[in-house]
Amino acid sequence: MKTVVVFRIDRRSGVATYLQIVRQVEQALRMGALEEGDRLPTAAQVAAETKVNPNTTLKAYRELERAGLAEVRQGAGTFITRSLAPAQADADSPLRTSLAEWLEQARAQGLSGQEVDALFRSTYAAVYPPDADAG
């Protein structure tokens, strides 16, 4: 079993710290960076790396447990119980291949990673309006 998640906390985002942890775990699950059976870092490890109160991490882990994504094994740690990776995330999927080609084109045209991220976010917001996800 591996531990592969490193949390990045943005204290200026306006998003509760525990929710940032939950969302980062969910994103890692969607991308296949975390898989069923993987162990999450301990609350103490997260606190040491991010300067977040261990109770905040425990709150996030309880939320992941409620969502059926993780389970606490007494004395052993918190483990991922299922993946969120879509079938399209396979390395040879047509969608992933198209996205990789698009990213290569963006790089070839001189776009920085930040510019690509901004372009993606604005296009994503146009295709998936925030109010469409509510409900």
Side-chain angles (χ1 to χ4, degrees):
M1 284 169 277
K2 57 188 172 163
T3 300
V4 294
V5 67
V6 176
F7 297 110
R8 305 270 187 248
I9 304 303
D10 181 357
R11 292 173 187 357
R12 294 171 287 157
S13 72
V15 176
T17 303
Y18 87 96
L19 279 178
Q20 290 184 50
I21 293 170
V22 169
R23 290 176 182 169
Q24 288 175 43
V25 169
E26 289 172 342
Q27 183 65 13
L29 287 167
R30 280 187 205 93
M31 297 184 70
L34 279 174
E35 300 172 346
E36 188 174 335
D38 287 345
R39 183 181 179 274
L40 292 173
T42 66
Q45 288 170 321
V46 175
E49 292 173 9
T50 63
K51 309 297 187 253
V52 167
N53 186 311
N55 289 330
T56 301
T57 303
L58 293 173
K59 182 176 181 179
Y61 287 4
R62 282 192 301 274
E63 186 65 29
L64 291 165
E65 197 169 18
R66 269 195 291 279
L69 299 174
E71 72 176 351
V72 176
R73 298 181 194 156
Q74 205 58 36
T78 303
F79 294 84
I80 297 299
T81 54
R82 68 181 176 97
S83 174
L84 292 176
Q88 295 85 0
D90 293 339
D92 59 348
S93 77
L95 283 176
R96 189 178 188 103
T97 300
S98 295
L99 180 57
E101 290 170 358
W102 181 86
L103 289 169
E104 289 297 332
Q105 289 174 357
R107 175 182 275 168
Q109 290 182 21
L111 271 67
S112 70
Q114 287 179 327
E115 291 167 327
V116 167
D117 185 56
L119 178 58
F120 173 81
R121 288 176 187 273
S122 67
T123 305
Y124 178 88
V127 174
Y128 292 99
D131 56 347
D133 287 338

